[in-house]
């Protein structure tokens, strides 16, 4: 049996200082390597602990609302990005990323590192996948930013979903990534499956209740893809989870769950049987073979119809915002 182990780093939310978080993250990666992990997966925006300067409830999900809910008043202007996020944005060649590249090579373990990325304009919510040789093999920025509310309305969204051939001790594994809110759009995982993903890494930073957990299970089943998600620990949070995407065996339904954590902090190894997954993908009916793309033209349209019309802080309808149109 050929296995791949993804360590879900379910860590307590740290402060916004990337230097302190580097130290905490390095310790977590060393524990993951000691458990035999091939990949260590961080929660979302580890560099600043997803730290926001927006007080809880101050935006209330109202940055983008239906026009009728504004009662004729113009929405308030969104704060500038530097007034929203705590912690210093970092670049791909920063000491933060560079140290984790050195660590990956030392431990001979891939690291899926997350950070608030400095960008030309508002920062990005980014994952960089570092292979076991210390090379940056995939950098992905969150496409579906939570643009309906602060602080994520003050981010530059990513432009697409890519997959890389990750070199591991058991050979190349086609690996992709999505981040938190991305998993609530079936198109995200579908795009990664179409690009060849066998394993999808998913950093997270929100409550994982039964509906979101069920969504994630569906993403694995409908794409015959292994899915691994790491969330922050704590009351109401946690539940880092992995599914192998193998929904049937010997003609009978089976549970795709590989592991689900509770709320406690810890390193949770998710072990994927690559041989079984690849055999399943060769013989089952989900995935790509029986799709009918010509019937899905509306999926690439930009029109937003009632009751989903929303207005942004500039008074412009929210459809088609950002580069990922």
């Amino acid at each position: 049996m050929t296995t791949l182990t993804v360590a879900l780093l379910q860590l307590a939310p740290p402060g916004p200082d990337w230097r302190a978080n580097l130290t905490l993250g390095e310790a977590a990666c060393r524990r993951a390597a000691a458990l035999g992990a091939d990949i260590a997966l961080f929660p979302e925006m580890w560099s600043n602990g997803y730290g926001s300067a927006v007080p809880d409830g101050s935006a209330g999900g109202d940055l983008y609302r239906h026009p009728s809910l504004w009662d004729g008043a113009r929405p308030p202007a969104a704060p500038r990005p530097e007034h929203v996020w705590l912690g210093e944005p970092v670049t791909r060649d920063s000491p933060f990323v560079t140290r984790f590249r050195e660590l990956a090579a030392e431990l001979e373990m891939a690291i899926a590192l997350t950070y608030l990325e400095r960008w030309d304009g508002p920062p990005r919510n980014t994952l960089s996948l570092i292979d076991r040789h210390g090379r940056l093999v995939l950098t992905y920025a969150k496409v579906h930013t939570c643009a309906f509310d602060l602080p994520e309305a003050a981010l530059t969204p990513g432009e697409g979903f890519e997959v890389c051939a990750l070199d591991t001790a058991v050979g190349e594994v086609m690996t992709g990534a999505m981040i938190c809110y991305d998993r609530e759009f079936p198109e995200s995982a579908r795009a990664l499956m179409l690009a060849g993903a066998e394993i999808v890494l998913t950093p997270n930073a929100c409550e994982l209740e039964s509906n979101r957990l069920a969504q994630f299970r569906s993403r694995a089943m409908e794409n015959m893809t292994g899915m691994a998600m790491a969330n922050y620990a704590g009351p109401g949070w946690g539940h880092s989870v992995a599914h192998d995407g193998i929904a049937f065996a010997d003609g009978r339904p089976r549970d795709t769950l590989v592991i689900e954590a509770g709320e406690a902090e810890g390193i949770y190894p998710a072990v994927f049987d690559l041989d079984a997954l690849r055999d399943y993908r060769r013989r089952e009916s989900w995935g790509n073979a029986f799709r009918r793309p010509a019937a899905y033209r509306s999926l690439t349209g930009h029109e937003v119809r009632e009751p989903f019309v929303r207005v942004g802080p500039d008074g412009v309808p929210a459809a088609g915002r950002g580069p990922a149109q």
Side-chain angles (χ1 to χ4, degrees):
M1 183 171 66
T2 303
T3 62
L4 180 83
T5 300
V6 180
L8 311 179
L9 307 185
Q10 183 166 293
L11 307 174
D17 182 355
W18 66 259
R19 297 163 186 83
N21 299 346
L22 191 159
T23 300
L24 293 171
E26 179 170 340
C29 286
R30 291 189 182 279
R31 296 200 302 274
L35 292 172
D38 297 290
I39 305 172
L41 174 60
F42 278 95
E44 186 176 9
M45 266 207 255
W46 175 254
S47 70
N48 75 334
Y50 202 83
S52 167
V54 180
D56 289 344
S58 65
D62 289 344
L63 187 59
Y64 290 74
R65 294 195 295 183
H66 191 281
S68 65
L69 300 177
W70 287 111
D71 296 325
R74 184 178 179 83
R80 294 174 60 83
E82 58 266 29
H83 299 153
V84 172
W85 289 104
L86 296 176
E88 177 186 349
V90 299
T91 61
R92 297 180 206 179
D93 60 356
S94 66
F96 181 78
V97 177
T98 298
R99 176 57 194 139
F100 280 103
R101 292 182 64 179
E102 295 168 349
L103 183 64
E106 176 193 339
L107 299 177
E108 298 184 11
M109 176 186 72
I111 298 174
L113 179 65
T114 60
Y115 53 100
L116 181 65
E117 184 183 16
R118 186 178 303 281
W119 199 246
D120 183 15
R124 303 201 310 176
N125 182 342
T126 294
L127 174 147
S128 280
L129 181 56
I130 306 165
D131 75 6
R132 64 190 179 121
H133 309 291
R135 301 175 299 201
L136 283 175
V137 293
L138 177 69
T139 293
Y140 166 74
K142 187 175 185 177
V143 167
H144 297 101
T145 56
C146 296
F148 50 80
D149 202 357
L150 293 173
E152 285 216 0
L155 286 174
T156 297
E159 298 185 7
F161 298 93
E162 297 181 5
V163 170
C164 72
L166 179 66
D167 178 59
T168 75
V170 296
E172 289 188 347
V173 179
M174 299 300 291
T175 307
M178 58 185 183
I179 297 175
C180 200
Y181 192 41
D182 284 326
R183 59 177 161 64
E184 300 195 17
F185 295 83
E187 296 89 348
S188 306
R190 181 51 50 102
L192 289 165
M193 179 276 291
L194 292 173
E198 299 174 291
I199 301 291
V200 174
L201 307 174
T202 311
N204 200 76
C206 72
E207 178 187 12
L208 289 178
E209 40 70 50
S210 60
N211 296 300
R212 289 184 175 121
L213 290 170
Q215 267 185 334
F216 199 67
R217 178 189 292 268
S218 295
R219 300 293 91 85
M221 182 266 191
E222 65 202 11
N223 293 295
M224 299 195 292
T225 302
M227 308 288 293
M229 176 161 53
N231 197 26
Y232 285 106
W237 288 52
H239 294 280
S240 297
V241 67
H243 289 273
D244 63 17
I246 306 173
F248 290 86
D250 298 322
R252 299 177 62 85
R254 63 179 293 277
D255 190 349
T256 63
L257 183 66
V258 175
I259 189 171
E260 181 182 341
E263 296 179 346
E265 186 171 11
I267 310 299
Y268 297 90
V271 181
F272 293 92
D273 182 341
L274 291 178
D275 290 336
L277 176 60
R278 287 165 175 167
D279 177 64
Y280 183 72
R281 287 162 64 92
R282 278 191 293 266
R283 59 185 169 79
E284 277 294 352
S285 59
W286 291 275
N288 192 15
F290 299 107
R291 293 171 64 248
R292 295 183 180 273
Y296 313 148
R297 295 185 184 93
S298 62
L299 293 179
T300 58
H302 301 295
E303 182 182 5
V304 177
R305 299 178 180 176
E306 294 290 355
F308 304 114
V309 175
R310 300 294 184 269
V311 173
D314 51 7
V316 176
R321 290 179 175 272
Q325 296 185 0

